[in-house]
Amino acid sequence: MKFLDMLRKIDEKPEQTSNPAPDSPKKDENPSQSTDQKASTPVAEPEKKEENLPVSVHDKRINIEEQMNDLSHQYAKLRNDLKTNLFTEKDEFEAKKATLDKYLETLKRDEKESNEKLTNTKAQNDDAAKEHLASVNADRKEQEENLQKLQSELNDLNSEINTKTAKLESLQSDLAKNEQSETDMSDSIKEEKDLQKMMVLMEKQKNSINTLYDERKDLKGQINSVQETITQLNGQADDLNSNISQVNSKINDLKQKANEIDDKMKSDHNYRVETIGGLERHLQSLAEEHQKIDGELAEVNDNIAYITKYIKDVFHSAYLVRDVYLDKDKEYYVAADDFESDTAKNDLFGMVDYLETKLQKPVTVVSTFYNNHIHDIIDAKAKASHLPIPNVVNIFDQLQTSSNPTDKKVAIPENTDWVTRTDVESQDTFIYDQKQTLLMTVEYFDKLIDRINYYKNDQVVKTNIYNGDGQLSSTQNFNKNKELSEQNFYRTDGSIVLTVIFEKNQAVSFQLFDKNGLLEHDFNEKSELITWWLKNITPNTENAVFVGNNSDLLYQLIMSVNSISSDNTIRLLQDVVKNIDAVIDLLDKHNDIKDIFVQTDDDLHEIENKTNRDISVSVINTSSNGMLSLPESLKI
């Protein structure tokens, strides 16, 4: 079940007053507004009575006290407005100082980075590039020398090829002549008609032909050899040409690379010149801006020092105590575990009244105390103050609610043996037996039976407590020492839900029963019961502000069980004047505490005098000493 799902529905809207009481100066959310108007408002004078009616000295004193009281409030309002104004002015200067400090840090960082860049830029040179260029040129020269060598080899090879080619042509010419000689001899033989002469001629040319054939064979061998040599030389020439082409390509690449390096050196040089010039101009501009900001910052620091001294001299404190800021868009939960003492009630209602007066909407009371008329009491209080009726989430409400409530209502039976008497003032009923022995007393709440006390030997031994519907809500049992020994709590269907065991008026056991009457949990301390309850209801902590007495058990458990941030809390500190050292020590140890409630104006003034940091404090006005608050001197 979710926390907000358990909120009691409000069927009745709060009554609105036609003339709501104005907030006290301490509760003014906008203390700076209408200051001049209020300051100029004359003190209300008592109505002039008819001249013929005498005014007593007592009446005059009352009138004077009323005027002094009005003056005290006006003075306190104006003094608070002045303080708020001074701190607002100081805040503006400090905000400007923070902006200037941040800007100055930016300037310093820019100056440092620019100086480093300038130094680095000036330190840059072309040594590496020149070294690289020299290396490239050396490689190119080496390749050019290699090219010349290869070209020379190619020229020599071409010359040798030409020689071999010329020799080949000569051999081929000789071979052609040899072959022609053979042809000529053959023709001469063919032309001879005389066979005898032909035979003589053939015998005669036989040796020439052999010589011719031998010569031809030799020529062909030489030609083949020369051709092979030329082929080899041409292959070598091709290789040389390929190498020359590769070397030329390398030389061209190196030339291009050298040009690129040279161009980059020129570009880098120009960039350095421009960058150095730009950085020097930028640093000059930064120096001028730095000097300007230093001047403005000095002026702001002087103003802060002046206002700080002014505040300290006038208000004896260098810290601002503001009203607690309430965000109307958030939901406020007021936690309370104690409802027995008048102080606890005053604190609870004081916080609720303050919050609802400022917010003009209901808050939620989260409580772990038992009161059989909690809703009636809170509703009546809200209506009397003309405030919205708060929502109430109560552990006993949750535990005692039943879907099938009993219709058995409490009633005092008629008994002829009883003697009944009614107290005129309290309207309580006392029932005796015929021997005048007290048997029971009946107490009423809003004319309905609230509780019945049972007596034995003039000592109360048991008390039955009833809710507004007349159903049994709780029973208390007392021992012979008149001490509470056990208290039982019942669901509205009559089944028991919780038993609390006491020893010497101290609760030592909290026994929780299910709907079948079986023991479900047995807690040693109330804190264990509350922790179990908080975990079961899973309170919605989003968009919520939790308010409560700093020493209240429930408030402490809500903070710890749900890990509530201090930004979403408002703590009530009690008896601040008596415990101011402990309060300051608390605020020193917990810098995250920003918003607190106090009970009286004196508590607020004590914090104003002793605080060592800015803090928001509001007075819930649960008590007042009734003393006038006029200062000893009206000097600021």
Side-chain angles (χ1 to χ4, degrees), residues 234-280:
N234 282 329
Q236 293 176 11
D238 290 341
D239 291 341
L240 282 174
N241 281 320
S242 176
N243 290 339
I244 288 172
S245 178
Q246 291 178 2
V247 170
N248 275 321
S249 178
K250 289 181 179 179
I251 290 173
N252 291 331
D253 289 343
L254 290 170
K255 285 181 178 179
Q256 183 179 355
K257 194 169 186 179
N259 290 333
E260 290 174 354
I261 293 172
D262 188 61
D263 291 343
K264 188 174 186 306
M265 286 172 58
K266 292 178 181 177
S267 175
D268 290 347
H269 175 74
N270 293 335
Y271 171 77
R272 289 196 298 272
V273 171
E274 293 177 2
T275 302
I276 289 171
L279 287 171
E280 288 176 342

Side-chain angles (χ1 to χ4, degrees), residues 171-339:
L171 289 172
Q172 288 174 339
S173 176
D174 291 343
L175 179 61
K177 289 177 180 180
N178 180 283
E179 291 175 344
Q180 185 64 43
S181 296
E182 180 186 4
T183 300
D184 290 345
M185 288 182 183
S186 178
D187 289 342
S188 65
I189 292 172
K190 291 177 179 180
E191 289 176 356
E192 184 62 48
K193 303 296 183 180
D194 188 342
L195 183 59
Q196 186 177 6
K197 287 181 179 180
M198 181 184 298
M199 294 299 292
V200 172
L201 183 60
M202 289 177 62
E203 184 67 25
K204 183 180 179 181
Q205 293 181 349
K206 182 179 180 180
N207 292 332
S208 298
I209 290 172
N210 290 334
T211 300
L212 189 64
Y213 281 169
D214 290 341
E215 186 183 46
R216 182 184 295 176
K217 182 178 180 181
D218 182 59
L219 285 172
K220 285 184 176 180
Q222 290 184 47
I223 287 172
N224 289 336
S225 177
V226 171
Q227 285 179 333
E228 290 178 358
T229 301
I230 290 173
T231 299
Q232 291 177 355
L233 292 174
N234 282 329
Q236 293 176 11
D238 290 341
D239 291 341
L240 282 174
N241 281 320
S242 176
N243 290 339
I244 288 172
S245 178
Q246 291 178 2
V247 170
N248 275 321
S249 178
K250 289 181 179 179
I251 290 173
N252 291 331
D253 289 343
L254 290 170
K255 285 181 178 179
Q256 183 179 355
K257 194 169 186 179
N259 290 333
E260 290 174 354
I261 293 172
D262 188 61
D263 291 343
K264 188 174 186 306
M265 286 172 58
K266 292 178 181 177
S267 175
D268 290 347
H269 175 74
N270 293 335
Y271 171 77
R272 289 196 298 272
V273 171
E274 293 177 2
T275 302
I276 289 171
L279 287 171
E280 288 176 342
R281 291 190 297 273
H282 183 58
L283 284 168
Q284 177 63 30
S285 175
L286 288 176
E288 293 173 357
E289 185 70 7
H290 193 154
Q291 184 178 5
K292 175 186 174 185
I293 298 303
D294 281 340
E296 292 183 13
L297 195 56
E299 183 179 352
V300 170
N301 285 330
D302 288 343
N303 287 329
I304 292 175
Y306 170 77
I307 292 180
T308 300
K309 184 176 184 303
Y310 187 102
I311 292 172
K312 189 173 182 180
D313 291 345
V314 173
F315 299 101
H316 309 293
S317 173
Y319 302 98
L320 175 61
V321 177
R322 291 185 173 95
D323 274 340
V324 172
Y325 170 73
L326 301 179
D327 187 346
K328 294 185 178 182
D329 292 331
K330 291 190 174 184
E331 299 298 325
Y332 286 76
Y333 297 89
V334 182
D337 176 64
D338 184 9
F339 202 60

Side-chain angles (χ1 to χ4, degrees), residues 12-30:
E12 183 179 2
K13 294 184 179 179
E15 297 179 3
Q16 300 295 330
T17 179
S18 58
N19 295 303
D23 292 339
S24 66
K26 292 295 178 185
K27 290 186 178 179
D28 194 345
E29 289 184 342
N30 299 306

Side-chain angles (χ1 to χ4, degrees), residues 16 20 34 129-130 355 381 384 422 532 566 609:
Q16 300 295 330
S34 68
K130 288 178 180 178
L355 292 170
K381 182 68 177 178
T422 301
W532 168 84
S566 292
N609 293 333

